[in-house]
Amino acid sequence: MKRIVTVGLAAVALSACTLMPHYQRPPSPVPDRWPADVGDAAAAASASVSADQIGWRDFFAEPRLQRLVEIALENNRNLRIAVLNVAASEAQFRVERGNLFPAISATGSGLAERLPANGALPLGGVGGSGGSSTKVPSGSAATTFHYYTAGIGFTNYELDLFGRQRSLTTQAFEQYLAQSESRRSTQISLVAEVATDYFAVQADEALVKLTHETLQNEIESYELTMAMYQRDTTTLLSLRQAESAVEAARASLAQYERQLAQDTHALTLVLGQEIPADLPPASDLNTEGLLAQVPQGLPSNQLTHRPDILSAEHSLRAANANIGAARAAFFPSIQLTASGGTASSRLKGLFGSGTGTWSFAPTITLPIFTGGQNRANLDLAHIEKNVAVAQYELTIQTAFREVSDALSARGTYIDQRNAQQALVAADADAYRLAEMRFRSGVDNYLATLDAQRSLYAAQQGLVAVRQAELANQVTLYKALGGGWQQHTLAAR
């Protein structure tokens, strides 16, 4: 038993080296700072806390939206799949790590065999395979042979002198970490998708409400025009123009109701269940403070906090570890088999004195000719690492563009919304004046109709701009790696 333990400890001690290349993070393929046109905006919003440290509860201030995010994180199937993939990767890592240690097992066996009276024994001796036999001297009586063993040992344990198993274990561990970061990335994307779909539904509801009001105004204008036509104070053309405005509003209402239903279905799919009826009341789309301000610093290396970039780097590390395993295949492989225990012809004397037995059988295999397979596997490992480097760099470049685009759009959306609000106010005043002129008979209905259409289009544009502004803020928050903290439900 002492010899077996000694051999096991020596095997572990000799398995400390590895042929993995030294890992070096590739240089960043993007500039150190954001583009010049967004530098001022980034500097103005920079703070000691980066976006990835802001939990989604702090960023999404509206209680109704917070509740929807909670539901999605609890029920969304894509996030559930990501969590299970992490668990599977962790189990695969434990399986691979188990190969670093000998699989020690206890065994026990018993054999009872009756020997014939003529003294014939199987060619293999007692316990051998039947068939041919040989004649040995024997008495006239048949005998029964008993043989019992008990022991502990391991079989075909690979002595990892050149780090093949250690490299494979490192590869599995990095793949597990990559899956864990992918789960975080899935959660961030889910939180952003819930918010984007929610604001789309809010915008649809605002458009439906606006179109309802416009339709009511058009109906009142049509009824007034009808009364004026019956009193011969306006023309049939004005009546038909008022009627066309009513039908156009009805068509727009049907369009926006359909759009509201479809966007509600999309939100339901993301939530993973029906939208509850007991949600907190919704805020108006134009309410300030629906989203917190996103702080971000000037250095672009902040992007390394993003989980998709971290996942790509762990995949690169896994490919680097695989090179070590491919290199180790060129060197000898040593496997050990050892056991120790007791043996006796009587079961009750199995653990008595003088019954000890042990065996030790090392095997060494030296590759001489493999048809080029080892060289091809090494070349493949290097190619896969180069692919992982390119994917890592591409992930950083994509993230840099996403942040740059969101930063560039943030200030312009504020200016556009202010201009759109001024346009709505101007068109509303123009519509009021045109309607007064029509009712007093100074002008025909065409001017009123044009003013009403301009006002309706400006109001629609304001809703669209506000929705786009909120969606851009969510995109910036997501692009900077925010949205994964303050949540533990998905890990269950």
Side-chain angles (χ1 to χ4, degrees):
M1 183 63 66
K2 292 181 179 180
R3 291 188 180 96
I4 294 176
V5 173
T6 301
V7 170
L9 293 176
V12 173
L14 290 173
S15 301
C17 69
T18 178
L19 297 179
M20 286 188 298
H22 176 68
Y23 174 77
Q24 289 184 339
R25 176 183 290 178
S28 177
V30 297
D32 294 335
R33 295 177 179 269
W34 308 114
D37 58 335
V38 301
D40 294 339
S46 61
S48 58
V49 179
S50 58
D52 64 296
Q53 295 175 317
I54 300 178
W56 56 265
R57 291 185 184 276
D58 297 325
F59 182 70
F60 302 112
E62 188 189 36
R64 185 182 183 91
L65 180 54
Q66 289 180 354
R67 177 61 183 140
L68 291 175
V69 172
E70 289 177 356
I71 294 173
L73 292 174
E74 191 71 49
N75 297 286
N76 184 265
R77 278 23 178 208
N78 287 332
L79 183 58
R80 189 174 300 176
I81 292 172
V83 172
L84 293 175
N85 285 337
V86 173
S89 297
E90 192 269 341
Q92 184 61 43
F93 160 66
R94 288 189 285 111
V95 169
E96 198 66 50
R97 185 181 59 181
N99 293 328
L100 293 173
F101 308 97
I104 300 176
S105 58
T107 60
S109 64
L111 172 66
E113 185 173 3
R114 183 178 178 81
L115 302 181
N118 60 7
L121 293 176
L123 287 177
V126 176
S129 58
S132 302
S133 62
T134 182
K135 195 75 172 181
V136 298
S138 175
S140 59
T143 59
T144 300
F145 180 80
H146 297 273
Y147 186 73
Y148 303 95
T149 63
I152 187 172
F154 54 88
T155 304
N156 294 330
Y157 167 63
E158 182 177 352
L159 191 61
D160 198 23
L161 292 177
F162 302 100
R164 190 182 75 87
Q165 287 295 339
R166 194 169 297 275
S167 297
L168 293 176
T169 301
T170 301
Q171 179 190 25
F173 180 67
E174 294 295 340
Q175 289 174 342
Y176 158 63
L177 294 179
Q179 280 291 350
S180 181
E181 296 298 336
S182 295
R183 187 206 68 82
R184 286 180 53 204
S185 182
T186 301
Q187 178 173 316
I188 292 174
S189 298
L190 175 60
V191 170
E193 187 176 1
V194 171
T196 302
D197 289 348
Y198 172 71
F199 290 135
V201 172
Q202 291 290 88
D204 293 338
E205 292 177 347
L207 289 172
V208 169
K209 180 181 178 181
L210 172 62
T211 307
H212 265 298
E213 295 174 353
T214 302
L215 177 59
Q216 289 301 119
N217 293 335
E218 293 296 346
I219 292 176
E220 292 176 2
S221 296
Y222 173 74
E223 293 174 349
L224 176 61
T225 306
M226 173 66 74
M228 295 174 63
Y229 175 72
Q230 291 175 350
R231 295 194 301 267
D232 293 330
T233 56
T234 190
T235 64
L236 180 61
L237 176 60
S238 297
L239 179 62
R240 292 294 176 248
Q241 288 173 337
E243 183 180 2
S244 67
V246 171
E247 298 307 324
R250 292 187 193 276
S252 296
L253 180 60
Q255 173 189 347
Y256 289 131
E257 286 178 341
R258 178 176 66 251
Q259 186 172 309
L260 173 59
Q262 292 174 344
D263 287 342
T264 301
H265 297 161
L267 179 59
T268 301
L269 177 61
V270 173
L271 295 182
Q273 68 171 54
E274 293 295 327
I275 301 176
D278 58 345
L279 292 175
S283 301
D284 185 82
L285 195 65
N286 293 316
T287 302
E288 296 294 337
L290 289 178
L291 302 177
Q293 186 70 14
V294 178
Q296 72 283 333
L298 287 175
S300 63
N301 59 12
Q302 186 186 29
L303 292 176
T304 57
H305 299 171
R306 279 181 43 145
D308 57 339
I309 294 179
L310 292 175
S311 177
E313 184 173 8
H314 285 303
S315 297
L316 174 57
R317 288 178 176 270
N320 186 72
N322 191 42
I323 294 178
R327 286 176 175 177
F330 288 88
F331 295 89
S333 173
I334 299 177
Q335 293 183 332
L336 304 179
T337 298
S339 64
T342 62
S344 174
S345 60
R346 294 183 303 169
L347 182 60
K348 65 180 181 179
L350 183 60
F351 296 99
S353 61
T355 61
T357 180
W358 63 269
S359 67
F360 177 64
T363 302
I364 183 170
T365 303
L366 176 64
I368 298 177
F369 176 74
T370 60
Q373 289 183 355
N374 289 341
R375 171 57 60 181
N377 285 331
L378 181 58
D379 292 341
L380 177 61
H382 280 288
I383 293 173
E384 290 176 343
K385 179 182 177 180
N386 292 334
V387 171
V389 170
Q391 291 175 337
Y392 172 72
E393 294 174 341
L394 178 61
T395 304
I396 293 180
Q397 290 174 337
T398 302
F400 185 83
R401 178 185 174 179
E402 289 177 354
V403 175
S404 299
D405 288 346
L407 284 173
S408 299
R410 182 172 57 178
T412 59
Y413 272 124
I414 296 175
D415 296 339
Q416 184 180 3
R417 176 160 60 94
N418 293 334
Q420 195 71 28
Q421 288 174 339
L423 177 61
V424 169
D427 283 342
D429 194 45
Y431 173 63
R432 181 182 60 82
L433 294 174
E435 190 175 28
M436 289 175 59
R437 290 173 61 86
F438 170 69
R439 292 187 179 186
S440 62
V442 176
D443 207 347
N444 59 27
Y445 190 74
L446 181 59
T448 304
L449 181 61
D450 288 341
Q452 192 277 333
R453 288 174 176 172
S454 297
L455 174 59
Y456 183 45
Q459 291 172 328
Q460 290 175 309
L462 180 59
V463 173
V465 169
R466 180 56 176 166
Q467 178 190 354
E469 180 187 5
L470 292 172
N472 181 73
Q473 293 182 36
V474 173
T475 299
L476 178 59
Y477 178 62
K478 170 189 172 184
L480 289 171
W484 66 273
Q485 293 192 7
Q486 290 185 315
H487 180 66
T488 58
L489 296 176
R492 293 180 182 177

